[in-house]
Amino acid sequence: MEVGIREIKNRFSWYLQRVKKGEVLIITERNTPVAKLIPMQTPPDVLNLLDTGLVCWKGGKPQGLIEPPSIQGTKTIAEIVAEDRR
């Protein structure tokens, strides 16, 4: 289904319900397609990981790594950044 920007702005909730039911929505600007709104096929990756139990989250802020990442070679991170800025 195609719909113009003004129409989608006025009735977005109604169109969103149709997309949730499986319809594909092409958004147009002056009769030129500019975007496509499609239903989600699968939940986002993080939700899949939570559902499968591979990760868990207790609602807090992430604490970071126990050990900092190591870099192969002799250059420090500061040297790599300085080199990249040249």
Side-chain angles (χ1 to χ4, degrees):
M1 163 187 0
E2 287 190 9
V3 63
I5 290 175
R6 181 179 295 181
E7 174 67 13
I8 192 109
K9 284 172 54 178
N10 290 336
R11 300 178 62 200
F12 186 73
S13 294
W14 185 81
Y15 284 107
L16 189 58
Q17 289 301 318
R18 294 188 67 167
V19 170
K20 285 181 180 179
K21 291 179 182 177
E23 287 192 50
V24 174
L25 183 64
I26 305 293
I27 302 170
T28 62
E29 182 178 49
R30 297 186 179 109
N31 295 322
T32 303
V34 294
K36 182 189 287 189
L37 189 60
I38 61 171
M40 297 242 342
Q41 300 300 320
T42 59
D45 292 336
V46 173
L47 295 179
N48 283 336
L49 293 172
L50 287 169
D51 289 343
T52 58
L54 293 173
V55 298
C56 65
W57 181 53
K58 297 176 182 168
K61 182 178 178 183
Q63 298 300 312
L65 299 173
I66 295 171
E67 293 183 25
S70 62
I71 298 176
Q72 300 293 331
T74 58
K75 295 181 182 179
T76 66
I77 293 176
E79 290 170 333
I80 294 170
V81 170
E83 199 174 274
D84 190 49
R85 290 182 178 171
R86 289 186 214 155

